Amino acid sequence: MSLRMRRAALILALLVLSAASADTLRLKNGGIVKGEVLRKKADRVLVDLGFTVLSVPMDEVDSIAPDGEAGPAATDEHADLYRSAPGQGELTVKENVERVGESVVEIRTSIGLGSGFVIHPEGYVITNDHVVAGEHKLSITLYKKGPRELEKLQFNKVRIVATDAHLDLALLKIEDIGDRIFQTVPLGDSDALKQGQNVFAVGSPLGLERSVSQGIISLKNRPMGGMLYIQTTTQINPGNSGGPLFNLRGEVVGVNNMKLVEAGVEGMGFAIPAGTLKGFVRNRDAFAFDPRHPNAGFRYGTPPKP
């Protein structure tokens, strides 16, 4: 056997061995890397792909699942714009902010501002309908951590894809992205929330971008106005609207949208459950934005009386 054939056979054997014992790395941008994890360092993880060793920055890694524990794919639940990450481990709030921070954005309109979060690497963003209602010109600001300083990225070409006033949800698309791939956050299971569970919010209350607040789940299914909301003690203020409510696995379990404001009332914020959000995204064609009626999706006239 020639030297070239022996090398080819060795590479093939390594590929088979790697595939047989492959760990799964889920990246923050939604990508997946499969290979044997050789070593974990504070700033990176070394992965054997069989034919080469890949060095992956640790701050780009969402989760690492050992061989045989990869769990469901990141794009399950018939989703094409959002992902889930059921194998993602719990971290402290501080560690989670590092993990999810670059996916939380600030949304500005001609009359106000709100928050939002990226669910797809191509620039699809979730926020509240009341943040963008009646608006055509939007801008989105993202804060990216660089090697030496924080980079502020502003996108001025933003399209409203779908919106619904009753659900108070809107889906946006950043159009001027070039070849940029956005970091995303996974959507969690809001039905699995427990009373007293720790959660936290990231957003731009009063325009103070990248603000973090922490609280617990007061009740996961508070009925109000014909809708079910997550009630939380997490501080929600003007500007937090449309921003994510996270569990400690870094999953979005709700979309912050309101608080009770009365004398003597404190710690009563509300969020739209992730389950409602998933249904909105999957059925976005039913809520497609019509520029002739900028406050909602499709509208149907009242049927004639018999």
Side-chain angles (χ1 to χ4, degrees), residues 42-105:
D43 61 339
R44 60 190 58 251
V45 57
L46 302 180
V47 185
D48 184 1
L49 301 182
F51 53 90
T52 188
V53 174
L54 181 66
S55 177
V56 182
M58 191 60 78
D59 58 5
E60 296 296 330
V61 177
D62 244 349
S63 63
I64 302 176
D67 182 30
E69 300 180 13
T75 54
D76 60 350
E77 303 184 70
H78 308 289
D80 56 351
L81 285 186
Y82 67 84
R83 65 183 178 95
S84 60
Q88 197 160 273
E90 289 192 359
L91 298 175
T92 65
V93 172
K94 178 182 177 181
E95 292 169 329
N96 266 306
V97 170
E98 290 290 324
R99 176 159 66 176
V100 305
E102 292 183 10
S103 300
V104 181
V105 302

Side-chain angles (χ1 to χ4, degrees), residues 233-256:
T233 62
T234 307
Q235 294 180 17
I236 306 298
N237 292 292
N240 275 120
S241 293
L245 183 69
F246 290 103
N247 61 19
L248 294 186
R249 288 192 296 273
E251 300 170 311
V252 177
V253 293
V255 183
N256 301 314

Side-chain angles (χ1 to χ4, degrees), residues 81 161-163 171 279-290 297-298 300:
L81 285 186
V161 177
T163 182
L171 174 65
F280 170 78
V281 174
R282 287 199 299 264
N283 297 286
R284 58 189 176 277
D285 57 335
F287 307 105
F289 177 71
D290 184 350
F298 291 128
Y300 302 93

Side-chain angles (χ1 to χ4, degrees), residues 223-235:
M224 297 178 65
M227 291 273 293
L228 290 178
Y229 294 93
I230 299 169
Q231 182 182 336
T232 175
T233 62
T234 307
Q235 294 180 17

Side-chain angles (χ1 to χ4, degrees), residues 169-238:
L169 290 171
L171 174 65
L172 312 178
K173 173 69 168 68
I174 302 174
E175 302 279 69
D176 52 341
I177 65 174
D179 58 356
R180 181 178 297 277
I181 301 297
F182 289 90
Q183 177 181 310
T184 67
V185 285
L187 303 189
D189 182 5
S190 53
D191 292 333
L193 291 172
K194 303 296 183 183
Q195 207 166 7
Q197 180 177 337
N198 290 317
V199 289
F200 68 97
V202 183
S204 300
L206 305 178
L208 302 175
E209 77 281 347
R210 299 174 288 116
S211 294
V212 181
S213 56
Q214 184 179 9
I216 62 170
I217 299 294
S218 301
L219 195 68
K220 73 174 184 178
N221 53 356
R222 177 70 67 190
M224 297 178 65
M227 291 273 293
L228 290 178
Y229 294 93
I230 299 169
Q231 182 182 336
T232 175
T233 62
T234 307
Q235 294 180 17
I236 306 298
N237 292 292

Side-chain angles (χ1 to χ4, degrees), residues 138-155:
L138 313 172
S139 69
I140 286 180
T141 303
L142 180 148
Y143 298 88
K144 183 176 179 62
K145 185 178 180 181
R148 294 182 179 83
E149 59 188 35
L150 192 68
E151 185 180 1
K152 182 177 179 180
L153 306 175
Q154 183 167 316
F155 303 92

